[in-house]
Amino acid sequence: MDTDNLSKNGSLVSRRTLETMLLFLENDKLTLSDISNKLGISKTATYRIISTLTEMNFLLKDDYKRYMLGPVLLKLSKRVDNNIRTIALPVMKKLSEETGESVYLSVSYNIWHYFFIEGVESYHPIKWSVSIGRPETSLGGAAGKVHLAYRDVKGLHDKLKAAKFTAYTDNTITEYKKLSKELEKIRKEGVSLSFGERYEDVVGISCPIRDYPTDGEVAALSIFMPEFRFRPEQLPVLVAKLKEASKKIFSLLEG
């Protein structure tokens, strides 16, 4: 038995598996052909890799046969993010009680998607809830725009120019120039607003936990509510309370 060749083949498979996962740092969803072309290997070899990753829930496949990051990564990220979740939860509970609305904490590690890792739901019978751990696109909604606005990535705007925008609702921003201006405004004001951009009839208000751009983890705190319950005169108070809570979490993280 040629143990050297077995070792080399095993190392190559391991490397290609990791390279497959790394593709999702810059891509939200990829088809089998996309992955095969990017890795420069056959579709057969690619299929073996992604089948294993899908079986183990590292990847998910949608109805259009496109692959995306799966829920097992949230379980791993929870171990990394346990500190921020533990620290943030009491602050989030207080914010939810004061506003009467749902409060969520989200993190991202790349420009294309983010994850909600903790949440406190509104006490109202009609409320907006999210799925903890499911990948969410950064190209839409209050939280998504924060994750884009505070990500310091070389060539970010070139990547956004080439991005394929999806109109989730009539209010979704689907033009690069408009999005670019929106991100600039968010960085200037420290808050992101969404009126039915990602989901119809939902108002979202988000701000960063750390108010400076980073190329690592970006964390955001958000308030979500049904549009029928939102009143324009509430906005300054909600924004002030959200920013105060975010600063509190950041100060606790810094020790």
Side-chain angles (χ1 to χ4, degrees):
M1 181 181 293
D2 192 337
T3 56
D4 286 342
N5 282 338
L6 284 174
S7 178
K8 289 178 181 178
N9 290 337
S11 297
L12 182 59
V13 172
S14 297
R15 181 179 181 83
R16 285 175 173 172
T17 301
L18 293 174
E19 287 175 343
T20 298
M21 297 303 298
L22 289 174
L23 291 177
F24 291 90
L25 288 175
E26 301 296 340
N27 300 275
D28 187 21
K29 295 182 179 182
L30 293 167
T31 64
L32 186 151
S33 295
D34 292 333
I35 297 171
S36 174
N37 291 334
K38 289 178 181 294
L39 293 180
I41 61 177
S42 69
K43 288 185 178 180
T44 301
T46 303
Y47 180 76
R48 286 197 292 266
I49 292 172
I50 61 178
S51 292
T52 300
L53 290 172
T54 303
E55 181 181 346
M56 297 180 69
N57 288 321
F58 281 93
L59 295 179
L60 293 176
K61 184 168 68 171
D62 68 14
D63 294 337
Y64 299 95
K65 297 183 179 180
R66 297 174 300 183
Y67 293 87
M68 68 188 82
L69 294 177
V72 74
L73 289 173
L74 176 70
K75 295 179 181 179
L76 294 175
S77 70
K78 278 184 176 180
R79 292 185 177 272
V80 177
D81 294 316
N82 188 55
N83 188 41
I84 188 172
R85 291 174 62 245
T86 301
I87 287 174
L89 188 55
V91 181
M92 294 168 64
K93 287 180 177 178
K94 181 181 178 182
L95 180 60
S96 181
E97 289 173 1
E98 291 178 347
T99 62
E101 301 299 344
S102 297
V103 175
Y104 284 91
L105 175 69
S106 57
V107 297
S108 64
Y109 304 95
N110 62 63
I111 69 173
W112 299 118
H113 62 268
Y114 64 94
F115 298 87
F116 287 108
I117 62 171
E118 190 60 88
V120 179
E121 293 190 352
S122 166
Y123 55 73
H124 292 289
I126 300 177
K127 56 199 169 190
W128 191 76
S129 302
V130 303
S131 296
I132 299 296
R134 186 181 68 188
E136 296 283 349
T137 178
S138 297
L139 297 176
K145 290 185 294 186
V146 165
H147 286 287
L148 285 178
Y150 288 88
R151 181 155 296 285
D152 184 14
V153 176
K154 184 178 180 181
L156 171 63
H157 287 279
D158 288 335
K159 296 178 187 298
L160 292 179
K161 282 181 182 178
K164 295 180 180 179
F165 291 88
T166 299
Y168 296 100
T169 73
D170 291 340
N171 296 326
T172 305
I173 297 175
T174 57
E175 298 175 6
Y176 163 73
K177 289 184 178 179
K178 187 174 180 181
L179 177 61
S180 180
K181 290 182 179 179
E182 180 77 359
L183 297 182
E184 184 178 346
K185 180 181 178 184
I186 291 169
R187 285 189 291 268
K188 181 179 179 180
E189 299 180 356
V191 65
S192 171
L193 305 176
S194 170
F195 297 93
E197 290 181 20
R198 183 66 177 86
Y199 299 98
E200 290 184 356
D201 305 321
V202 175
V203 173
I205 310 169
S206 303
C207 68
I209 299 296
R210 300 172 177 85
D211 59 356
Y212 52 84
T214 174
D215 60 357
E217 176 188 275
V218 175
L221 191 65
S222 305
I223 297 173
F224 296 108
M225 69 185 74
E227 192 171 23
F228 75 84
R229 202 157 54 232
F230 174 75
R231 299 291 180 270
E233 59 270 20
Q234 292 177 295
L235 187 57
V237 174
L238 292 172
V239 169
K241 287 184 177 294
L242 180 64
K243 286 185 175 181
E244 180 183 357
S246 296
K247 289 179 180 178
K248 177 66 174 178
I249 294 170
F250 181 66
S251 66
L252 291 172
L253 286 170
E254 293 294 284

